Amino acid sequence: MSFTLAPQAPAPLAAASQNSSLVDPFGRTISYLRISVTDRCDFRCVYCMAEQMNFLPKAELLTLEEMARLSRAFIARGVRKLRITGGEPLVRRNVMWLFNELGQHLKDGSLEELTLTTNASQLARHAEGLAEAGVRRINVSLDTLNADRFAEITRWGRLTQVMEGIAAAKAAGLKIKINTVALRGVNEDEFDRLVEWCGEEGHDLTFIEVMPLGEMEGAARADQYLPLSMVRARLGRRWTLTESTHRTGGPARYFDVAETGQRLGFITPLTHNFCESCNRVRLTCTGTLYMCLGQEDSADLRGPLRAHPDDEAPLMAAIDRAIAGKPKGHDFVIERNRTAPAVGRHMSVTGG
Ligand code: SAM
Ligand code: SF4
């Protein structure tokens, strides 16, 4: 007697390693994935991009379907939080399809949080859709409340458009955290006003120290660098700041502002070592996984993804190898007499 086996469907994430959580060699569980969906942007912030940028050919980008598939793999391995970033994520065509797709994981409980970091230029038309997809909180980058200064910092941005985006997000019920890069001699006179404005609007606020990422013309980053210890000390003269127990596993420390009732964060990768609690990895829009914002260690996931469209095992094995190589930490240094950045890629590649 002879018989033929019918072609089998790909094994659904069956092997033990394919269901286990991602723990790196230093015992850190990876529960947070940031996905950069594009390297393009409609702004050219002076600390982030050069005015003339060479963007990646579109063929090199992962499709949105591939990003959804990769996300599924990470969620199956215990990732509970996804952040969509860029470049500017909302300039990627059809990006709302991806939000809706990923939102399904919120509905079935396999994902705890889906969020995004945006410059808010396109937020007015997407805020409702984001809320419907299940997004509850977003980060909006805003370094100044002054329109002329905004145009100088972003080169191509218009403050009114961003303010409309923020208002639309608030109206849609999204909780907003404003991210402000602290720039010496550029916006340091506005920090009190930003705390006050965020208090009035009900937004949390986080200051970010400028980081030495990416080559760009004319930007003297050592001159832009403003230690947040100094910012915090100055804010402490006007506001009652109480250190909060709030932690995200990332490089931020939080304070409660008694006068406004809002939270104030400080992201200080240069002056603080936050690596022991690092729970995150970053995926670029070409499918490269970076295990650390400050190191070059990376792994290609696009190869296994495309080579095996119907089999998750090679992709899972590549993710395992990548996590096994997550470095212990990083060592950023801004030296005044040094022009090359500590890490040569722009934040718009790894998504901040
Ligand atoms: N375009 C979106 C935005 O601006 O929110 C998302 C991508 S952007 C690369 C993510 C964050 O990185 C923004 O808050 C931005 O201010 C920050 N960023 C970019 N370059 C930086 C640098 N050199 N140092 C510190 N923060 C930087
Ligand atoms: Fe664009 Fe965001 Fe970079 Fe500004 S910080 S240039 S908005 S990616």
Side-chain angles (χ1 to χ4, degrees):
M1 194 174 75
S2 73
F3 57 86
T4 332
L5 282 175
Q8 290 204 325
L13 310 178
S17 79
Q18 295 188 9
N19 285 323
S20 58
S21 54
L22 297 168
V23 181
D24 78 2
F26 304 97
R28 297 168 297 190
T29 301
I30 307 306
S31 56
Y32 181 7
L33 174 67
R34 293 185 177 220
I35 306 177
S36 173
V37 294
T38 177
D39 61 335
R40 287 156 204 263
C41 187
D42 51 348
F43 290 3
R44 291 289 182 277
C45 301
V46 291
Y47 47 75
C48 179
M49 290 194 185
E51 188 147 20
Q52 298 304 324
M53 293 288 289
N54 292 321
F55 291 115
L56 294 161
K58 290 216 166 111
E60 285 199 21
L61 302 191
L62 295 183
T63 64
L64 295 176
E65 287 80 2
E66 287 171 330
M67 288 181 182
R69 185 176 157 211
L70 263 174
S71 304
R72 267 199 306 281
F74 275 95
I75 291 167
R77 300 299 304 278
V79 160
R80 305 290 290 155
K81 180 170 170 179
L82 287 182
R83 178 176 295 280
I84 305 301
T85 179
E88 174 45 43
L90 298 182
V91 303
R92 170 93 195 230
R93 188 181 302 178
N94 277 339
V95 72
M96 292 312 293
W97 176 88
L98 182 64
F99 277 102
N100 285 318
E101 195 67 18
L102 298 176
Q104 299 303 320
H105 297 284
L106 296 169
K107 291 192 185 126
D108 68 21
S110 55
L111 186 65
E112 253 165 45
E113 187 172 42
L114 173 62
T115 177
L116 117 120
T117 301
T118 176
N119 66 19
S121 68
Q122 311 301 313
L123 200 49
R125 64 192 170 100
H126 288 311
E128 286 281 350
L130 288 166
E132 279 162 21
V135 174
R136 295 286 165 262
R137 302 187 307 135
I138 60 171
N139 288 358
V140 173
S141 304
L142 178 68
D143 302 328
T144 175
L145 295 169
N146 174 298
D148 292 337
R149 196 176 272 181
F150 186 84
E152 272 168 36
I153 296 174
T154 62
R155 292 201 189 99
W156 297 359
R158 280 196 306 117
L159 182 63
T160 46
Q161 192 178 337
V162 164
M163 287 305 192
E164 281 162 21
I166 295 174
K170 188 175 167 183
L174 299 176
K175 175 79 184 142
I176 297 163
K177 179 162 79 73
I178 301 291
N179 280 343
T180 300
V181 177
L183 299 163
R184 179 188 291 280
V186 177
N187 61 356
E188 55 182 319
D189 58 340
E190 276 190 80
F191 296 162
D192 280 329
R193 176 63 194 131
L194 278 161
V195 173
E196 191 176 54
W197 177 74
C198 285
E200 291 158 9
E201 294 292 319
H203 308 323
D204 287 331
L205 172 64
T206 293
F207 287 104
I208 307 177
E209 226 164 53
V210 76
M211 286 188 260
L213 299 175
E215 302 269 5
M216 67 192 68
E217 88 277 349
R221 223 171 318 229
D223 291 338
Q224 295 173 346
Y225 178 64
L226 177 61
L228 291 191
S229 50
M230 202 183 278
V231 176
R232 202 172 68 218
R234 279 194 223 156
L235 287 171
R237 290 188 215 138
R238 160 102 186 257
W239 308 97
T240 314
L241 306 180
T242 314
E243 187 147 9
S244 146
T245 50
H246 183 72
R247 291 278 178 281
T248 60
R253 288 177 69 201
Y254 292 95
F255 292 77
D256 294 317
V257 186
E259 290 83 354
T260 67
Q262 295 305 130
R263 195 179 283 151
L264 181 62
F266 296 92
I267 300 189
T268 56
L270 295 171
T271 53
H272 248 91
N273 201 343
F274 56 88
C275 303
E276 309 79 47
S277 61
C278 183
N279 60 356
R280 59 198 59 191
V281 288
R282 296 172 165 82
L283 185 72
T284 69
C285 52
T286 57
T288 301
L289 190 72
Y290 280 97
M291 273 64 79
C292 172
L293 185 59
Q295 301 276 9
E296 297 287 2
D297 307 62
S298 67
D300 169 50
L301 299 185
R302 187 181 60 187
L305 187 79
R306 289 192 174 162
H308 306 278
D310 299 319
D311 182 4
E312 299 308 69
L315 175 62
M316 290 299 187
I319 293 174
D320 278 325
R321 279 195 302 278
I323 301 301
K326 184 168 161 67
K328 190 169 179 196
H330 63 62
D331 190 19
F332 284 122
V333 195
I334 288 189
E335 292 166 22
R336 286 205 162 266
N337 57 2
R338 186 181 145 139
T339 48
V343 172
R345 65 184 186 270
H346 287 95
M347 194 82 126
S348 52
V349 174
T350 33

